[in-house]
Amino acid sequence: MTEQLTRLGIKVTLLQRSSQLMKHMDQDMAFRIQKELEINQVVIHLNTIVTKVHTSDDVITNLETTSGENIVTDMVVLATGVVPNTKLVENLPVKIGGSGAISVNKKLQTSTPDIYAVGDVSESYSVITGKPIYRPLGSTANKMGRIVGDVLTGGTLEHRGILGTGIVRVFDLDIAYTGLSETEALAEGYEIETLYSIKPNNADYLGGKELTIKAIADKQTSRVLGAQIIGPQGADKRIDVIATAISFGAVAEDLFHLDLAYAPPFATTKDPILYTGMALDNAINKNRPLMTPHELIRLQSKGEQLQIIDTRAPKQFNVSHVPGAINIPLADLREQLKNLNKTLPTITYCNKGVTGNAAQNILINAGFEKVYNLSGGNKNYQIISELK
């Protein structure tokens, strides 16, 4: 609605009661959506609730908010979300789950076996954790209806759960997600590896546009747990590939081995999915650890002694760089090894991650003790460093 009103030339202010947009995504990915909205002149107020609506002659004139701001307007659109309507069973012996939706088993029976519940009124459960979740989507409702129809006519179908896969478009960005976010995975007790991969959807010389993929894997088993993808093109097919892989229990390396369709108008020779699997597997199993911008910022704020190496050209370094970094272009790195400390924790980076990984390999092979590649490179660091 925000986008359509903006395209009609209407100035839009978006009030969000929570601290970020799109609650099923991590804050650093939701922030990229916020930036896209702001580029398109949408004014955003987070952590804001309307406390009073003022009218004059039955026409809305302005709003008061919890932030103390007075917002002048002549139209208000309420987007209050979705809650399950369980009034139908409020006087029946039917269990309501923790989400407020009706609790069901794999045959979609409620706690009263002869009563079934499907669609937006019922809970599903996570393919990954096995725990109940509530994600009201038409695709899930349709599937549930098919399963109940089969069960009621003597069939053996069972609901296998969902990943909460979703996709939307906001102005020029496709936004897709599946499985657990980083926040959710940590809350579930997983020890995770987090990768940011910034790769073109298809060949650069055919107008390929950048996709930013944030992928999460379990360090103990390498199992892929979730992903979030943002970009102008190609997020749809990549999120479906990852959702399929997670559904069948894929580990990080499995993504690298997928035989995906390739031709320059549609993909690159190393598709973003293949690179995601390779980089995650390298980090978990091949001693090529990653460091996220969040982790680096946290270490810097604690005053940790770090050796941060920017492997880009001096011209790029001078435009922007990680605070405290020294500039050693990759071609000069071997000559400069004697001037570096092999015992200090070392972070390498480039613009997006590939050259940083090459530098990481050089340093590890030269006997440096702890070497991390900054995930997503300087480009990702600069975006995340804007988060308050």
Side-chain angles (χ1 to χ4, degrees), residues 139-178:
S139 53
T140 302
N142 188 286
K143 190 186 306 177
M144 285 178 155
R146 168 74 174 88
I147 292 168
V148 166
D150 180 78
V151 170
L152 291 176
T153 54
T156 59
L157 280 180
E158 291 187 343
H159 185 37
R160 296 183 180 181
I162 62 172
L163 292 169
T165 306
I167 188 166
V168 297
R169 188 164 183 84
V170 176
F171 289 100
D172 292 330
L173 291 181
D174 295 343
I175 299 146
Y177 51 89
T178 192

Side-chain angles (χ1 to χ4, degrees), residues 277-343:
M278 180 193 71
L280 276 174
D281 182 55
N282 284 346
I284 296 171
N285 298 312
K286 296 180 173 59
N287 190 33
R288 295 299 183 268
L290 298 166
M291 181 173 288
T292 68
H294 294 291
E295 292 170 318
L296 178 53
I297 291 168
R298 180 180 61 81
L299 292 174
Q300 289 175 314
S301 68
K302 291 171 59 179
E304 296 279 348
Q305 191 174 5
L306 304 170
Q307 188 167 238
I308 307 172
I309 302 173
D310 186 316
T311 65
R312 300 173 300 156
K315 184 177 180 179
Q316 293 173 301
F317 179 84
N318 291 334
V319 172
S320 71
H321 58 268
V322 174
I326 56 175
N327 184 211
I328 306 177
L330 183 66
D332 302 331
L333 184 57
R334 286 184 174 86
E335 294 180 3
Q336 295 295 325
L337 291 177
K338 60 183 179 295
N339 299 320
L340 299 173
N341 189 331
K342 291 187 175 182
T343 63

Side-chain angles (χ1 to χ4, degrees), residues 40-344:
N40 285 278
Q41 308 305 311
V42 177
V43 177
I44 298 174
H45 296 269
L46 301 176
N47 298 306
T48 300
I49 299 173
V50 175
T51 56
K52 191 171 184 178
V53 178
H54 292 274
T55 62
S56 177
D57 297 327
D58 294 327
V59 176
I60 293 172
T61 58
N62 60 295
L63 307 175
E64 292 182 28
T65 71
T66 49
S67 63
E69 194 162 1
N70 180 60
I71 299 174
V72 177
T73 184
D74 57 5
M75 178 169 59
V76 175
V77 178
L78 296 178
T80 55
V82 177
V83 293
N85 183 357
T86 58
K87 288 185 178 180
L88 183 66
V89 297
E90 62 184 7
N91 296 318
L92 297 174
V94 170
K95 180 183 176 182
I96 303 299
S99 67
I102 298 172
S103 178
V104 293
N105 62 19
K106 291 185 178 182
K107 292 188 178 297
L108 303 176
Q109 293 170 299
T110 68
S111 54
T112 299
D114 289 335
I115 299 177
Y116 296 77
V118 301
D120 293 358
V121 77
S122 66
E123 287 184 332
S124 188
Y125 66 92
S126 168
V127 170
I128 298 170
T129 68
K131 296 179 180 179
I133 58 174
Y134 181 66
R135 297 287 176 86
L137 289 171
S139 53
T140 302
N142 188 286
K143 190 186 306 177
M144 285 178 155
R146 168 74 174 88
I147 292 168
V148 166
D150 180 78
V151 170
L152 291 176
T153 54
T156 59
L157 280 180
E158 291 187 343
H159 185 37
R160 296 183 180 181
I162 62 172
L163 292 169
T165 306
I167 188 166
V168 297
R169 188 164 183 84
V170 176
F171 289 100
D172 292 330
L173 291 181
D174 295 343
I175 299 146
Y177 51 89
T178 192
L180 300 181
S181 66
E182 180 180 26
T183 304
E184 291 167 339
L186 291 172
E188 289 292 337
Y190 287 101
E191 183 184 1
I192 59 172
E193 190 70 60
T194 301
L195 168 74
Y196 296 87
S197 173
I198 303 175
K199 295 291 179 185
N201 165 59
N202 61 293
D204 287 326
Y205 55 84
L206 289 178
K209 306 294 185 182
E210 277 186 356
L211 286 171
T212 298
I213 300 177
K214 181 177 184 179
I216 315 297
D218 179 13
K219 280 188 177 181
Q220 300 300 317
T221 64
S222 295
R223 184 184 180 188
V224 182
L225 299 176
Q228 299 154 63
I229 307 178
I230 296 177
Q233 302 169 353
D236 51 348
K237 77 172 184 176
R238 270 63 182 219
I239 207 68
D240 283 343
V241 169
I242 294 178
T244 302
I246 294 174
S247 296
F248 289 99
V251 297
E253 186 182 359
D254 291 332
L255 296 182
F256 170 72
H257 290 290
L258 292 174
D259 184 19
L260 302 179
Y262 164 70
F266 306 105
T268 56
T269 52
K270 188 182 289 180
D271 189 90
I273 294 294
L274 306 188
Y275 184 86
T276 295
M278 180 193 71
L280 276 174
D281 182 55
N282 284 346
I284 296 171
N285 298 312
K286 296 180 173 59
N287 190 33
R288 295 299 183 268
L290 298 166
M291 181 173 288
T292 68
H294 294 291
E295 292 170 318
L296 178 53
I297 291 168
R298 180 180 61 81
L299 292 174
Q300 289 175 314
S301 68
K302 291 171 59 179
E304 296 279 348
Q305 191 174 5
L306 304 170
Q307 188 167 238
I308 307 172
I309 302 173
D310 186 316
T311 65
R312 300 173 300 156
K315 184 177 180 179
Q316 293 173 301
F317 179 84
N318 291 334
V319 172
S320 71
H321 58 268
V322 174
I326 56 175
N327 184 211
I328 306 177
L330 183 66
D332 302 331
L333 184 57
R334 286 184 174 86
E335 294 180 3
Q336 295 295 325
L337 291 177
K338 60 183 179 295
N339 299 320
L340 299 173
N341 189 331
K342 291 187 175 182
T343 63
L344 274 181

Side-chain angles (χ1 to χ4, degrees), residues 355-370:
T355 305
N357 177 240
Q360 180 186 38
N361 290 334
I362 291 172
L363 296 177
I364 289 174
N365 291 334
F368 283 67
E369 294 178 6
K370 293 182 179 180

